[in-house]
Amino acid sequence: PPSPPRRRRSSHAAKRPLISATDHRMRSLANFLLMVGVCVPPALYVAVLHRRCPAETPTSGESGLALARRWLAALPADASSMFAPPSSVACDVYASHPRLCVNLIYFVVVDVGFYLIYLLQGSTWLIDPHWQLIPVCISLFFFSHPDAGWDEGVPQHPRAYLVLGLLLVWATRLMHNYLRREGYQFGDREDWRYNDMRREHGRWFVISQFFAVCVAQHCMLVGLTMPLQPAMAASGASLNRFDALAASLCLTGICVGLVADNQLFAYMQSPDKPLLLDSGLWRFSRHPNHFGEQLWWIGILSSAVAAAGGWSGFVAGGPHCWAVAFGVCFNHPIDTLATLPLIEARMLRRPERATLYRAYQRRTPLLAPWFVRGGGKDAKVA
């Protein structure tokens, strides 16, 4: 009998994985362009203010709230005519109230703009890489501001270059760690905490994410960067011992974070990793990467203390002092008392790891590295 005809392999089935991989790469590229592109409109807006606002901008003397209302009302006209002179309130806020200007731009671009993107994409991934990008953008805003001596014929303060250099090193290190962790893909995953929140809040997450992601991150990100304004001002005190302290804290924080993240990445990539990572820095702290990050921001705050000439000058600033220190006072307790317990609860979810992790909790400090209490060999049992 004649042999049955051979079944031809479907060309569509053969090409499907290739098409899927191509789609994935294109989606990642689109998200990369989105990540960079959202920085362009605020950068252009600030550039217009910088070039077109008069050198001697009169101040209205209004309260911050009244200025914010007028700025928001004038924003559509200012944004629609980027090549026309900006409104007087925009120049007033930019020249005389730089910290308010940063907060208002962040509110429009990140709080509102990112929120709309979160809704469209069904993911909050975009805020993760901007934890590195936004501080760089804010630092460049203060570095190029008239208060820093830019375009005023006054040489910029050496502290401005020192702080900007440290911040660029910090941001590069942290961005590399983010990209490495994500496999150099953009938009694949959102932070697991927000993913859990999305599942727990259900349909209400459409509303709650604005406050839990946008507003909360505003207080942290903008608050932590407020010390950059006095640190980069041309009127700051000459370099002093607090600058050495600030640089030491910043560099130590960067190095601790670098070592901790490298050890964590190597652990996660190991095919036969134990249930717990308790070697290297992780032997002396359960969260050394968070400790390094907190130390970094304390160093940035110390640079503002240096700009005031020391603690006495800083505290004499009154409300100004608290506005500058708000970020550390807000972020660090939340990180220690809310974020770290969430991570610890996640580590205890797996029954086979729970007993080992409780022993690890008993003998190892939560945050600041210190000597362990007892041995650590039991955590190596897989």
Side-chain angles (χ1 to χ4, degrees), residues 89-318:
V89 65
C91 289
D92 184 7
V93 170
Y94 170 72
S96 304
H97 307 273
R99 291 199 299 270
L100 175 61
C101 188
V102 166
N103 275 279
L104 289 172
I105 293 173
Y106 187 100
F107 172 77
V108 172
V109 176
V110 182
D111 289 351
V112 176
F114 278 30
Y115 173 68
L116 297 177
I117 295 173
Y118 299 159
L119 295 180
L120 290 172
Q121 291 195 328
S123 172
T124 61
W125 74 271
L126 188 59
I127 194 60
D128 288 343
H130 277 87
W131 255 93
Q132 295 76 249
L133 295 176
I134 288 174
V136 171
C137 294
I138 293 176
S139 69
L140 293 174
F141 174 92
F142 289 131
F143 185 80
S144 62
H145 192 269
D147 284 354
W150 198 274
D151 290 343
E152 295 291 328
V154 179
Q156 287 187 281
H157 203 292
R159 184 178 296 109
Y161 291 97
L162 173 64
V163 173
L164 180 62
L166 287 169
L167 195 134
L168 290 175
V169 171
W170 165 83
T172 301
R173 201 283 305 174
L174 210 58
M175 178 61 81
H176 170 259
N177 184 65
Y178 168 78
L179 295 176
R180 178 178 62 176
R181 187 185 70 221
E182 298 299 314
Y184 296 91
Q185 301 297 317
F186 298 90
D188 270 8
R189 299 182 298 177
E190 70 177 349
D191 190 294
W192 62 267
R193 291 165 294 183
Y194 299 139
N195 191 269
D196 287 353
M197 195 181 298
R198 183 186 302 277
R199 185 174 59 254
E200 292 168 2
H201 292 195
R203 62 184 179 180
W204 295 107
F205 190 65
V206 172
I207 299 173
S208 64
Q209 69 178 320
F210 178 77
F211 301 97
V213 182
C214 301
V215 175
Q217 298 281 357
H218 185 150
C219 296
M220 294 177 190
L221 266 174
V222 178
L224 287 168
T225 56
M226 285 300 99
L228 296 174
Q229 191 264 333
M232 293 185 171
S235 59
S238 3
L239 293 176
N240 53 68
R241 65 182 185 275
F242 285 97
D243 287 294
L245 173 64
S248 300
L249 290 172
C250 286
L251 290 172
T252 303
I254 291 172
C255 291
V256 169
L258 173 65
V259 173
D261 283 335
N262 283 345
Q263 291 172 348
L264 179 60
F265 181 76
Y267 167 80
M268 295 301 295
Q269 297 302 306
S270 174
D272 54 349
K273 58 180 176 285
L275 286 173
L276 293 179
L277 168 62
D278 70 337
S279 59
L281 287 179
W282 300 82
R283 175 178 173 82
F284 304 100
S285 167
R286 303 203 298 274
H287 304 279
N289 49 350
H290 285 254
F291 174 73
E293 190 70 1
Q294 290 193 18
L295 204 60
W296 155 261
W297 288 113
I298 293 173
I300 292 296
L301 177 59
S302 299
S303 67
V305 175
W311 285 111
S312 57
F314 183 72
V315 174

